[in-house]
Structure formats: C-alpha cells, structure tokens
Amino acid sequence: MEMWIPHEQGLAMIGTPPDGVVLRVFPSGDATPPGDPGEVGFWVPPFLAQADSVGLAAKMPALRVVQLLSAGADAWVGRLAGEVTLCDARGVHDAPTAEWVVGAVLGVLRQFPAFARAQAQRRWSNREYAPTDELAGKRVLIIGAGSIGAAIAARLRPFEVELTLVARRPRPAEGVHGVAELPALLPQADVAVLVVPHTDATRGMVDAEFLARLPDGALLVNAARGPVADTAALTAELATGRIAAALDVTDPEPLPADHPLWAMPNVFITPHTGGAVHGLLPRAYRLVVDQLRRYLAGEPLVNRVVDGY
C-alpha cells in the first residue's frame, strides 16, 4: 500500500513506515504525482486542499482513508467513494485557534490595531483611543461547542468573563445551549465567537437578522470558515460602525484587495492563520501515525467525519 503525505518534514516525523507501506511526499494537487495514484490506500492531502486535490481522489481506486490536516472537512464531504473513510484533524488545532481567538478579542477590545496604525505614523494616540474597552466582565457567546470551542472557553475563564456555549443540539448536563436558542442569546452577547464547521446547516448562518440581534458595540469573531457569514450582510452591518469584527476567514479567500472590509477601522483581518503555528506539523503527524497504526491493526479510526462534522 502507498501512503502519500504533503510534507517532507513528515517523513522524519513518521519514521520508518510499517512493513508493506510505501511512504511518498505529494505536496500539492498540481504537483507531479510521486507514484501511481491507483496504489494509494492512505492519503494525507495538503493542508486546506483545493479542488485540484479533492478531485484526485477519484483516480485512487485503492484509497480507503483520507486523513485531513484541517479541522474543517467541507471541501471533501460528499465527494469521496463510499468505501473511503474521511477523518479530520480534530484536536490538532485547538490550542492555536483558541490562542488566536483570545488574542484577537483582547487586541480589538484594547485597540491594538488602531495603536499599530498610529505607531506606523509615529503618532502618540493616547487621547484618540484611550481609555479602551476591556475583556473583564464581558458576556462571551461561543457558537460551536466542540473541542476548539472548549479550548477557547478554558482560556477565557481566567479573564473574568461570563461564558455561554452553543452547539447543534443542547447538552443540558454540560450547560450547553442549542443553536435554536441563538435568537434569544445574541442580544446578550458582548462578544460572539464563531467556531462552527462549514456545512449546509451553517452556511450563511450569520445573516442580516443574526447581526441585527447583536447589541450595539458587540464584537463578532469568525475563526470558523468564511461562508458561515453572509459577506454582503456582514459588510453592510460593519459599515454602520454599530459593531466590530475580528476575521481570520472571509468569503471569498483571499479577500479581494478592493473589498471595503479592508478599510473599515472596526474590522481586524488576519489571512486564515489561526492554526498556522510552528507546532502544527508535529501535532498533525502524531495524529497521522496513530491513525495509520489503527488502520493497519483493523482498529476504529478517530475523528471520522459524519454528516459534515
């Protein structure tokens, strides 16, 4: 069986492959295949793979496992043969994404982007932006109560915030609300954090009605996927200055240079870097090694994607 991975560094992280496994590096969907795709049984596609990578799966008749390096699986759902098990990288991105969310929330509330702009102009801006807002005492709504949502909650608790978590379905024993309760919860949120997967159910969930329910001065944080928010509705609401946003993802990506979101002072944008940290590959390949061991031993794989989750 051939196993393809996307990083040269992964060869050392995996080490000597098990007997019968041929390990090859295939860095991107538009690269020359390192071998016969028909022999690939276990595939780790490039991170944030695009259509050129996803389409290659159709040329892999022996493929049985696709192990993603991303927490999101939206590009792959419904596009693989029935005998292929799709697994995401749940757990790999918890810490870095949670750090991004906490950093973005603190940065926006404490006016770091504005101070950075002032620094670039060599301008002392104390009177212009201080006193700033603060995180202590804020009501934070985390929409997406999976492993990343739990990691965000754990890091926010020491900041003396009031936390509310929302999942697809309520989990009363854990104090988690259901998504059907959002209309009542949004008006109480000073900060609303999005960490839901991109599925048919979540696409466009942040629409004009959703945004209108947020209170004046609220901060919307999107660390999920760009299409979870209706870009036109988001742009229109942010243009009023009534709320602010911190966005690690947009729709489309990359965001066009002439898009009005770039120029809004109440919008902080990073280019989908929430999980892009130095520790990503070691964590990711530990998961890959464990999944390969499980597959060869006939044990159940973890992180199987079911119904888009």
Side-chain angles (χ1 to χ4, degrees):
M1 178 188 78
E2 292 209 1
M3 175 182 180
W4 289 5
I5 62 174
H7 303 97
E8 288 284 347
Q9 304 97 306
L11 296 174
M13 294 174 184
I14 292 175
T16 303
D19 290 343
V21 176
V22 178
L23 189 58
R24 301 186 192 276
V25 176
F26 181 53
S28 65
D30 57 0
T32 301
D36 181 3
E39 299 297 320
V40 178
F42 194 112
W43 186 24
V44 183
F47 184 60
L48 296 178
Q50 301 300 317
D52 53 359
S53 293
V54 179
L56 185 60
K59 301 177 182 178
M60 297 178 171
L63 186 63
R64 293 298 177 267
V65 178
V66 171
Q67 174 60 60
L68 303 180
L69 298 182
S70 61
D74 45 288
W76 297 84
V77 173
R79 300 190 61 185
L80 295 172
E83 64 271 15
V84 179
T85 299
L86 176 64
C87 301
D88 62 25
R90 190 178 306 119
V92 169
H93 302 277
D94 292 1
T97 303
E99 287 179 358
W100 182 90
V101 169
V102 174
V105 171
L106 283 169
V108 172
L109 292 179
R110 297 305 305 268
Q111 292 284 3
F112 285 1
F115 289 131
R117 290 191 291 268
Q119 179 181 351
Q121 299 167 1
R122 303 188 180 201
R123 180 168 51 84
W124 193 258
S125 54
N126 180 283
R127 293 186 179 181
E128 187 174 354
Y129 298 115
T132 72
D133 205 342
E134 60 185 329
L135 180 53
K138 287 290 186 287
R139 301 166 297 179
V140 181
L141 179 66
I142 300 175
I143 305 170
S147 62
I148 293 178
I152 294 169
R155 285 158 177 77
L156 283 176
R157 286 191 180 95
F159 287 92
E160 303 173 19
V161 300
E162 178 184 325
L163 286 169
T164 303
L165 273 71
V166 174
R168 277 185 296 170
R169 292 179 288 273
R171 304 198 296 264
E174 302 173 36
V176 175
H177 298 261
V179 70
E181 300 174 68
L182 275 178
L185 295 172
L186 288 170
Q188 309 303 317
D190 299 308
V191 179
V193 180
L194 300 167
V195 281
V196 295
H198 176 205
T199 67
D200 289 341
T202 63
R203 185 178 301 112
M205 72 178 296
V206 180
D207 56 12
E209 182 180 353
F210 179 109
L211 295 165
R213 291 182 181 276
L214 290 171
D216 291 354
L219 171 62
L220 177 73
V221 181
N222 192 355
R225 287 290 186 269
V228 169
D230 181 311
T231 301
L234 182 62
T235 303
E237 186 67 37
L238 289 168
T240 70
R242 192 182 71 82
I243 65 172
L247 310 173
D248 188 46
V249 291
T250 60
D251 182 25
E253 287 187 10
L255 190 67
D258 60 352
H259 199 283
L261 284 173
W262 285 115
M264 294 184 185
N266 54 331
V267 179
F268 174 62
I269 299 173
T270 57
H272 206 149
T273 59
V277 297
H278 291 302
L280 170 63
L281 291 188
R283 279 194 296 269
Y285 278 97
R286 283 196 291 271
L287 172 62
V288 169
V289 169
D290 182 60
Q291 291 285 70
L292 178 61
R293 180 194 62 78
R294 288 172 177 270
Y295 175 67
L296 295 176
E299 297 176 5
L301 299 176
V302 299
N303 294 1
R304 293 183 61 178
V305 177
V306 179
D307 296 331
Y309 291 83

